[in-house]
Amino acid sequence: MNTLQKLNKSWISHLEGLEIIILPSGLVVAFLLAYLDILELPIGAGLTLILSFAFAILHQLAVYNLVHCPKCDNNLAKFKSGKNIPIKQLYNGFEKCTPCKHCGWTPSKGV
């Protein structure tokens, strides 16, 4: 079981998936709408980019502000110094269920 699942925040990883899916599929839809003269291509492509960027921002805000240790309430996505953990390193840690850097809590131990 990974850390986000244990904390009931697995929806955060789905935001990243939406961000990745929206960009190519939105551009295809924008081309289709432009071909059918429903919406101009620059407008459709612009809306797609804005939507994808919005999901990217939501993902970053969620992962770095909402993932807290249930035992000590410290942020699991930050180093002890307060700096953000790089996203790849963070998700690898979540998959491996690395302990909290402040109190040592791990998802396998529970609350």
Side-chain angles (χ1 to χ4, degrees):
M1 172 172 285
N2 102 21
T3 304
L4 289 177
Q5 290 173 338
K6 181 67 177 181
L7 297 173
N8 294 322
K9 299 203 187 241
S10 58
W11 58 269
I12 292 175
S13 60
H14 298 298
L15 286 176
E16 185 177 28
L18 281 174
E19 154 196 345
I20 293 168
I21 291 171
I22 286 174
L23 189 59
S25 62
L27 291 176
V28 169
V29 169
F31 277 110
L32 180 64
L33 292 176
Y35 179 75
L36 297 174
D37 287 330
I38 296 173
L39 189 66
E40 293 181 21
L41 182 60
I43 294 172
L47 290 174
T48 299
L49 291 174
I50 290 170
L51 190 59
S52 180
F53 186 66
F55 274 105
I57 290 173
L58 284 174
H59 173 256
Q60 291 291 317
L61 288 173
V63 79
Y64 287 116
N65 293 311
L66 299 178
V67 182
H68 294 277
C69 175
K71 189 174 178 183
C72 67
D73 202 40
N74 281 310
N75 195 329
L76 294 175
K78 295 188 183 272
F79 291 113
K80 277 188 176 181
S81 65
K83 290 186 177 183
N84 291 344
I85 298 173
I87 198 75
K88 278 188 173 184
Q89 183 181 350
L90 181 65
Y91 273 112
N92 285 336
F94 285 163
E95 287 175 13
K96 294 176 184 175
C97 297
T98 56
C100 173
K101 290 162 184 44
H102 302 275
C103 69
W105 173 86
T106 59
S108 58
K109 291 181 186 175
V111 178

